[in-house]
Amino acid sequence: MTEAYERYRPGYPVELFDLVAEYAGRPVRTALEIGAGTGKATRLFAGRGVAVTATEPDPAMLAELRRHAPTGVRTVRAAFEELPPDGPYDLVYAAAALHWTRPAGRWERVAELLRPGGVFACFGGPVQPADPEVAEAVRAARAPFLASDDVPSPDGTPPERELQWPGTELQRSEYFDEVQQALVSRRLTLAPEDYLGHLSTVSAYLMLPQDAREEAFRRILAVLPERVALDADITVHLARRR
């Protein structure tokens, strides 16, 4: 699974860093990453001169991160809730990982890790076929096994609502203000096998029994074109520590 994450999960574009830096309005010198995985986002921020402390509870993921991380990245094996007191940091961020953290005390813990005026950033988003006909064919192929492969909103915010989670929680938090939601456009084109490789890292498929997962992938592969154009826009939530 670790190798699949590294191979098939897309990296993050420099436009994402620029968006966070512009919001910060001052130099971002230090950052703590929540649930860094194999370090796709770590590489973006460290590559722009930020001193990143990358935290990850899974030892295999952490070992893969260490193989790819730029010199100077500090790694810590720990879940977010188990992190020792540290910082304060200019930035705390999570790349497609925040939904794995426990809700109780989440924002107080983030605030403790940030200096006053520091920035919290959360970003991620689904990777879906751009062609509506292909998207419908994929939906029909997986339907016997999965009604949807989306990650449901942790706080129940409906998908049609303009402000999505975690922006909804950040707005209600006593620790943060200046909450913003933005979109970074990203388009990918993959071979069918690589698209299936990406799906193999999506939690909805990982939760299926192995035989059901393999059959779902076989049916999806049968309806894919020779090259799969994908919408992979990144939704970004930003907030400032009071």
Side-chain angles (χ1 to χ4, degrees):
M1 178 51 58
T2 299
E3 292 178 358
Y5 267 80
E6 176 57 30
R7 178 175 178 181
Y8 297 116
R9 285 288 178 109
Y12 293 96
V14 69
E15 290 81 5
L16 172 60
F17 175 86
D18 293 342
L19 178 68
V20 174
E22 181 179 1
Y23 175 89
R26 64 185 78 179
V28 177
R29 297 187 174 90
T30 61
L32 181 131
E33 180 173 3
I34 300 169
T38 65
K40 294 296 179 82
T42 312
R43 281 165 254 179
L44 171 66
F45 285 87
R48 306 297 286 182
V50 180
V52 177
T53 296
T55 70
E56 169 57 47
D58 183 88
M61 290 282 192
L62 195 63
E64 189 72 17
L65 185 156
R66 287 168 174 159
R67 280 193 282 271
H68 299 282
T71 302
V73 170
R74 175 176 168 243
T75 59
V76 178
R77 181 185 172 188
F80 171 65
E81 295 80 8
E82 300 165 351
L83 286 174
D86 201 358
Y89 294 92
D90 298 327
L91 170 70
V92 172
Y93 68 92
L98 190 69
H99 61 285
W100 295 113
T101 63
R102 290 198 294 267
R106 177 190 287 138
W107 302 118
E108 181 179 6
R109 184 74 176 116
V110 172
E112 288 174 348
L113 292 162
L114 281 168
R115 63 168 178 76
V119 173
F120 172 73
C122 177
F123 44 89
V127 174
Q128 301 173 329
D131 185 323
E133 292 185 3
V134 175
E136 174 56 27
V138 169
R139 187 206 63 77
R142 73 163 184 257
F145 312 97
L146 282 175
S148 171
D149 59 7
D150 292 337
V151 176
S153 174
D155 69 349
T157 301
E160 64 272 13
R161 188 79 55 83
E162 182 176 355
L163 182 65
Q164 288 292 303
W165 184 90
T168 46
E169 286 188 5
L170 286 163
Q171 267 197 342
R172 297 190 295 267
S173 170
E174 63 184 289
Y175 301 103
F176 294 92
D177 56 18
E178 300 181 38
V179 177
Q180 293 185 16
Q181 178 176 291
L183 198 70
V184 175
S185 295
R186 183 174 60 175
R187 299 292 180 270
L188 306 172
T189 302
L190 301 179
E193 295 79 9
D194 289 340
Y195 177 55
L196 286 184
H198 173 79
L199 293 183
S200 75
T201 71
V202 173
S203 57
Y205 293 96
L206 288 170
M207 294 174 67
L208 291 173
Q210 183 175 347
D211 56 347
R213 182 168 62 249
E214 290 176 353
E215 180 61 17
F217 287 163
R218 187 190 69 78
R219 295 189 188 190
I220 291 171
L221 182 62
V223 303
L224 293 176
E226 291 185 1
R227 301 290 291 174
V228 187
L230 299 166
D231 287 332
D233 292 344
I234 304 165
T235 300
V236 186
H237 290 96
L238 298 160
R240 195 176 306 278
R241 175 150 162 16
R242 294 182 188 273

